[in-house]
């Protein structure tokens, strides 16, 4: 019935002579009503779907994840101004989620702590139980100072997909004995029992304690871990093994209790791509820099000519392979190579097992390559210019097959005298059989000769390159294919069938020029609004997930999700190794929009929506279906955090009280869960010693006892002692949910923390 209404609406308009807008809204209301009715019929959890949850699709209901009692604080992503955010990530099964807050939830004394406390909430049969996992730290003067040598951000830099292991740094008191005095050393935390493992007990021989401004203190850069947490890769700016060179960046792999150096004597190296910030916690491009089993790690050197390498653990011992080594034999250089000699390469990603590696270079590395450097003797990589034109030297996209040792150029331009000029790689499927990229060259039917202001989006799969759409420079500015994951927004589904990206170009015929006089903030001079698009490789169809179903022009912009982090909304990857799961293998997309796409979205705020293809979930419309995930009635904006791999759990942040247990109007984390919901009633009681007021306030340097870090429904079942406590911290100013900023500047430290030895010299 809904399908008939939707498909015949245009004919009804002509027959009845009724205003197009009025009838369109009527049709939308009828269709939405039917969608809601069908979505909620026969739901086993119907009793939990009243109030704000009444219009949720697919039998979803709201569950409050963060604790009702938060010591006057809120879920805010955990950053102070201009520093790196704490990880916000859901486990792949949706049964756990980690996030940060600038207020310690359970401690009796909130005067002293790291600016950000990290929490993990886990689902139980009775509700969500929250545990603080940040180890206590001694802070000079009782609070963080930007001149005291303390870390002014979350100690946590990354988690594995199951949230059972975490990489963090910590100083005093050391979570376990043996750590170098005064240094922020790297640790692996087992989130199942709270135990810490020190990854290096070596005192750095050259670099003083830190971290400090850029490079004057000891820092480590987390780059990934295996799925089981038995292998961890990270960089450090000093020697931590006997074979490492002191005083320079070295790469390390922690392999089941043994630390070994990876990069040999190659100077100034980085896992994945070239690092852009030498700062503690800085996010760089570490997309699959380590294979899921930890056996392969990819890195590249720095310098005049950067090359891509692989460190592989084999039964006969570790080996190093130069992935970007030339296999050209018909050139005029030595051995038939490119006569220009070695030119830089840029690592983009690899398959999850590390068998297929993708990188770009302007060097001709195969016999059929058409890569070129436009300037004689120039390097391939160029820093971003006016339009972010990094790597504009005629790069080609290469694939290296680790199992066969074969290097292939995927972007050979068959047009005489022309080059592909690859601008960037959006991503690849988990098995590496699909890779999506942007290039100026005409590489497939339908593409146009692009260049300065426009670029072609392609997908390569099993030897065939297909054209998707032509995008504009503004889309790159909006970070569809940026080199840095800090802003890279587009996402590929794990199986590679779908890609989702945002664009101001009208790609499906929808008029996306704003209907309000001031236009959309991202529309530049044209007033066009950003829209979210999905491409399906099986149908070769491009769909606009965020275009208003009525055809009415937008009043606000739509974006792939931006996660809330205290003072701003942050697009792109939330850590260097994990991207939000807003696109699933079944084609479902979660996005945010300030446009009123459904009548229920009456608040004029940015809301979270779900788009489903025909036949997925509750949707029975050929054009696909749009549903609200946030209520659409909150007074402030709602923010997407993450989703489980199957999409049954969608985590959002909102100040709206969506369940009865929510007793305040602070920002909370919710799960819109299929077949979810818990009995409503009073807020769950606290657990253990958190219920007892302190007899005497503890000194500021101490955290709460381990039992006080649990908040949840009643006393949870017995769990192993974690030994991980959260120290108390200063209460931050309350921040209202801010509107997203379209093009946030790259976040660098405000006067970055000084080396810790300077503070201690005056003791």
């Amino acid at each position: 019935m809904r399908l008939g209404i939707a498909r015949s609406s245009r004919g009804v308009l002509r027959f009845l002579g009724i205003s197009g807008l009025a009838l369109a809204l009527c049709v939308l209301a009828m269709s939405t009503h039917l969608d809601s009715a069908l979505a909620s019929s026969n739901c086993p959890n119907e009793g939990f779907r009243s109030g704000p949850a009444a219009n949720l699709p697919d039998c979803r209901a709201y569950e409050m994840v963060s604790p009702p009692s938060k010591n006057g604080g809120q879920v805010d992503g955990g950053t102070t101004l201009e520093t790196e955010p704490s990880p916000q990530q859901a486990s792949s099964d949706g049964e756990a989620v980690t996030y940060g807050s600038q207020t310690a939830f359970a401690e009796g004394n909130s005067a002293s702590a790291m600016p950000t406390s990290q929490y993990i909430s886990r689902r139980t049969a009775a509700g969500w139980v929250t545990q603080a996992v940040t180890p206590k730290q001694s802070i000079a003067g009782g609070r963080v100072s930007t001149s005291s040598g303390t870390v002014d951000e979350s100690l946590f830099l990354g988690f594995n997909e199951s949230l059972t292991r975490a990489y963090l740094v910590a100083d005093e008191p050391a979570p376990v004995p043996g750590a170098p005095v005064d240094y922020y050393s790297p640790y692996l935390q087992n989130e199942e029992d709270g135990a810490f493992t020190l990854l290096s007990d070596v005192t750095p021989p050259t670099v003083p304690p830190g971290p400090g401004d850029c490079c004057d203190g000891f820092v480590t850069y987390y780059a990934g871990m295996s799925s089981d947490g038995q292998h961890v890769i990270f960089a450090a700016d000093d020697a931590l093994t006997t074979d490492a060179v002191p005083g320079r960046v070295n790469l390390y792999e922690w392999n089941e209790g043994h630390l070994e150096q990876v990069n040999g004597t190659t100077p100034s190296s980085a896992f994945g791509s070239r690092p852009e910030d030498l700062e503690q916690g800085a996010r760089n491009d570490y997309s699959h820099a380590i294979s899921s089993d930890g056996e392969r790690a990819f890195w590249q050197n720095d310098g005049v000519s950067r090359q891509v390498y692989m460190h592989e653990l084999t039964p006969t011992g570790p080996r190093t392979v130069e992935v970007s080594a030339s296999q050209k034999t018909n050139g005029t250089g030595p051995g038939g190579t490119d006569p220009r000699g070695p030119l830089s390469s840029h690592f983009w990603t690899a398959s999850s097992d590390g068998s297929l590696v993708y990188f770009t270079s302007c060097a001709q590395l195969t016999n059929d390559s058409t890569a070129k450097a436009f300037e004689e003797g120039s390097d391939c990589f160029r820093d971003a210019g006016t339009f972010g034109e990094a790597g504009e030297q005629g790069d080609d996209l290469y694939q290296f097959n680790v199992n066969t040792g074969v290097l292939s150029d995927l972007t050979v331009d068959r047009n005489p005298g022309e080059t592909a000029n690859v601008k960037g790689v959006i991503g690849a499927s988990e098995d590496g059989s699909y890779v999506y990229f942007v290039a100026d060259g005409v590489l497939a039917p339908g593409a146009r000769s692009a260049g300065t202001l426009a670029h072609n989006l392609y997908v390569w799969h099993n030897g065939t390159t297909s054209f998707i759409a032509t995008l504009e420079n503004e889309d790159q500015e909006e970070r569809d294919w940026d080199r840095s994951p800090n802003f890279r927004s587009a996402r590929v589904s794990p199986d590679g069938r779908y890609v989702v990206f945002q664009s101001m170009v009208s790609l499906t015929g929808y008029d996306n020029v704003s209907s309000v006089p001031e236009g959309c903030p991202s529309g530049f001079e044209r007033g066009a609004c950003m829209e979210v698009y999905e491409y399906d490789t099986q149908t070769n169809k491009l769909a606009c997930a965020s275009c208003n179903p009525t055809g009415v022009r937008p009043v606000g912009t739509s974006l792939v999700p931006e996660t809330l982090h205290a003072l701003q909304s942050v697009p792109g990857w939330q850590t260097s190794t994990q991207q939000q799961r807003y696109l699933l293998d079944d084609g479902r997309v979660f996005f945010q929009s300030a446009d009123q796409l459904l009548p229920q979205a009456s608040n004029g705020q940015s809301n979270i929506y779900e788009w489903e293809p025909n036949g997925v979930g509750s949707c029975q419309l050929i054009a696909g279906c749009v549903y609200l995930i946030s209520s659409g009635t909150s007074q402030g904006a709602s923010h997407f955090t993450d989703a489980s791999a199957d999409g049954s759990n969608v985590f959002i942040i909102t100040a709206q009280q969506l369940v009865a247990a929510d007793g305040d109007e602070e920002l909370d984390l919710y799960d819109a869960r299929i077949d979810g919901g818990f009995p409503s009633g009073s807020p769950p009681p606290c657990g253990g010693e958190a219920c007892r007021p302190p007899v005497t306030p503890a000194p500021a340097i101490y955290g709460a006892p381990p039992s006080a870090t649990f908040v949840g429904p009643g006393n949870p079942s017995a769990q192993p002692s974690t030994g991980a406590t959260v120290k108390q911290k200063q209460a931050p100013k309350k921040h209202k949910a801010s509107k997203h900023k379209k093009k946030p500047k790259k976040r660098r430290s405000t006067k970055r923390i000084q080396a810790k030895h300077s503070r201690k010299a005056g003791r």
Side-chain angles (χ1 to χ4, degrees), residues 296 319 327 355-356 399-408:
R296 292 164 174 164
R319 67 167 184 151
Q327 295 188 9
S355 62
L356 298 175
Q399 178 199 78
F400 180 76
N401 188 314
V402 174
N403 296 329
T404 65
V406 174
L407 182 68
S408 303

Side-chain angles (χ1 to χ4, degrees), residues 599-623:
Q600 297 94 327
S602 58
N603 57 353
Q605 299 287 336
S606 180
N607 289 296
I608 306 302
Y609 291 89
E610 176 183 13
W611 183 83
E612 293 180 347
N614 181 32
V616 173
S618 303
C619 184
Q620 299 297 322
L621 293 176
I622 292 178

Side-chain angles (χ1 to χ4, degrees), residues 129 172 224 311 332 365 418 437 481 488 514 662 699 705 719 755:
V129 176
E172 297 179 32
H311 174 76
T332 58
L365 303 177
E418 295 185 6
F437 62 95
W481 62 90
R488 193 187 311 155
S514 176
D662 190 347
Q719 299 187 27

Side-chain angles (χ1 to χ4, degrees), residues 40-60:
S40 63
S41 62
N42 301 318
C43 287
N45 60 337
E46 198 59 37
F48 305 131
R49 291 172 39 78
S50 60
N55 294 312
L56 288 174
D58 305 326
C59 294
R60 294 185 187 272

Side-chain angles (χ1 to χ4, degrees), residues 284-605:
N284 296 296
D285 190 356
Y286 301 135
S287 172
H288 284 166
I290 186 173
S291 60
S292 57
D293 62 4
E295 300 298 313
R296 292 164 174 164
F298 301 98
W299 57 280
Q300 64 186 63
N301 64 309
D302 202 356
V304 177
S305 176
R306 291 176 290 278
Q307 302 302 319
V308 179
Y309 299 87
M310 177 186 69
H311 174 76
E312 184 177 28
L313 302 176
T314 71
T316 58
R319 67 167 184 151
T320 298
V321 175
E322 185 178 346
V323 170
S324 58
S326 175
Q327 295 188 9
K328 185 178 180 65
T329 60
N330 60 354
T332 58
T337 61
D338 189 327
R340 298 168 297 176
L343 296 171
S344 285
S345 300
H346 181 87
F347 171 88
W348 286 94
T349 190
S351 58
S352 61
D353 66 357
S355 62
L356 298 175
V357 191
Y358 293 100
F359 67 93
T360 53
S361 177
C362 67
Q364 294 182 0
L365 303 177
T366 61
N367 288 346
D368 58 350
S369 174
T370 53
K372 81 189 257 192
F374 294 146
E375 299 175 10
E376 186 66 28
S378 68
D379 195 9
C380 293
F381 182 85
R382 284 176 53 173
D383 290 333
T386 304
F387 295 105
E389 295 278 325
E392 56 177 323
Q393 292 298 311
D395 289 20
D396 274 10
L397 173 62
Y398 292 94
Q399 178 199 78
F400 180 76
N401 188 314
V402 174
N403 296 329
T404 65
V406 174
L407 182 68
S408 303
D409 189 336
L410 306 185
T411 54
V412 175
D413 196 321
R414 305 300 179 184
N415 301 299
E418 295 185 6
T419 182
N421 194 13
V422 175
K423 313 305 294 183
V425 175
I426 284 178
S429 58
E430 289 293 301
D431 65 2
S433 63
Y434 293 84
V435 60
Y436 293 81
F437 62 95
V438 176
D440 290 348
V442 178
L443 305 178
R448 74 182 193 188
S449 181
T452 305
L453 299 178
H455 314 284
N456 296 311
L457 173 61
Y458 297 99
V459 57
W460 179 92
H461 175 57
N462 289 340
T464 300
T465 299
S466 301
F467 169 74
I468 298 174
T470 298
L471 307 178
E472 296 187 358
N473 256 325
E474 287 88 345
D475 298 324
Q476 194 276 340
E477 285 289 289
E478 299 306 325
R479 310 305 182 182
D480 272 337
W481 62 90
D482 198 273
R483 281 178 180 253
S484 170
N486 286 14
F487 299 108
R488 193 187 311 155
S489 56
R491 177 174 172 85
V492 177
S493 63
D495 65 1
R497 174 176 173 176
Y498 299 98
V499 64
V500 166
F501 59 95
Q502 54 194 29
S503 177
M504 285 183 294
V505 183
S506 177
L507 299 175
T508 59
Y510 171 69
D511 185 357
N512 64 325
V513 176
S514 176
S515 61
V516 296
E518 59 270 23
C520 280
S522 62
F524 295 91
E525 297 179 358
R526 301 176 315 181
C529 293
M530 190 72 67
E531 303 293 348
V532 176
Y533 294 93
E534 178 183 89
Y535 177 76
D536 182 351
T537 59
Q538 288 192 10
T539 63
N540 195 29
K541 299 294 185 181
L542 187 65
C544 182
S546 64
C547 292
N548 198 308
T550 68
V552 175
R553 287 162 54 195
V555 297
T557 194
S558 299
L559 302 166
V560 300
E562 295 185 337
T563 296
L564 178 67
H565 287 293
L567 301 178
Q568 65 176 339
S569 294
V570 181
W573 294 46
Q574 296 309 297
T575 70
S576 294
T577 60
Q578 295 291 334
Q579 187 182 26
Q580 297 164 301
R581 301 184 191 97
Y582 71 80
L583 170 62
L584 309 179
D585 279 340
D586 60 9
R588 278 182 288 175
V589 182
F590 304 103
F591 64 95
Q592 66 187 57
S593 180
D595 199 8
Q596 186 178 1
L597 302 182
L598 294 173
Q600 297 94 327
S602 58
N603 57 353
Q605 299 287 336

